[in-house]
Amino acid sequence: MSKKAFVALVTCFNEDETINYEATRAQVRRQVAAGNNIMCAGTNGDFTALTHAEKIRLTEEVVDEVAGKVQVIVNAGMPATFETLQLAKEFDRIGVNGIAVITPFFIACTQDGLIRHFSTVADAVKTPIYLYDIPARTQNHIEPETARKLATHGNIAGIKDSGGAQETLEAYLAVARDMPDFEVYSGPDHLVLWALQNGAAGCISGLGNAMPDVLAGILNGFNSGDMADAARQQDIFTAFRTELYALGFPPALVKRALYLKDKSVGASRQPALLPSAEQDAKIRDILGHFDLN
């Protein structure tokens, strides 16, 4: 089975910080043209700064623009099971290919609490649920044994690992080897090819917003058996990641890099990056180094 690349799509904003849906649709078209699938309302999509109603409309717009050409996953995760359920039911109605559920944030959860949270959501919808682990941001981690228990649920299809530790990714992949219907998607952009080589179903990439063709090239090389080209593309991807992410918070930097190329994407609603002429100059130098101006 061919491996799949999803891009954790940026959400585009107008100058007044309302969502620019037309610009977001243009970003969808850009990714579809490269052959990448879409994840919306994720970390790179400013989901923590979007209202409940905006997430629903954003998903409707993305699904409409994709028009079945690629797959769409949307993140429904919120701190409370109640709102997560509300969103998941709306996304189920819209008709996405998968619903990602990030671990609750701000609230410290036990592993039993996580099992109850994810199972409750998976019980309520028909769309496959994907666990989403990013402990550096949520302070809650899905232990591999918890993932193994959840993998027995008939509507939990896999996990997105954005922990960044190869050891955890290996443990999730071990679950997938024992349970073939459970898919693992790698989040860290420097591990895309490694994850594919070790049994991952694919990746969900933030950096792919800035380098859609390189991300697609890694997957195309792997799927066609051209490992030399896949490795070459991964080296480019990793080098770009290293240089760009050295400047600060990764999602904000990806958004800023896009903005410096195309102002229609807008700024981020998040306060994580306060643009400066000095930092913009560094980002432009990096874009020039990789022929992305």
Side-chain angles (χ1 to χ4, degrees), residues 4 45 74 111 142 196 207 242 272:
K4 294 176 285 190
V74 59
Q111 294 301 301
I142 303 167
L196 298 177
L207 197 64
T242 300

Side-chain angles (χ1 to χ4, degrees), residues 4-7 184-189 192 196 200-205 215 219:
K4 294 176 285 190
F6 286 81
V7 169
V184 176
Y185 287 87
S186 173
D189 290 302
V192 173
L196 298 177
C203 68
I204 302 178
S205 167
L215 175 63
L219 273 292

Side-chain angles (χ1 to χ4, degrees), residues 86 159 271:
Q86 288 184 313
I159 188 168

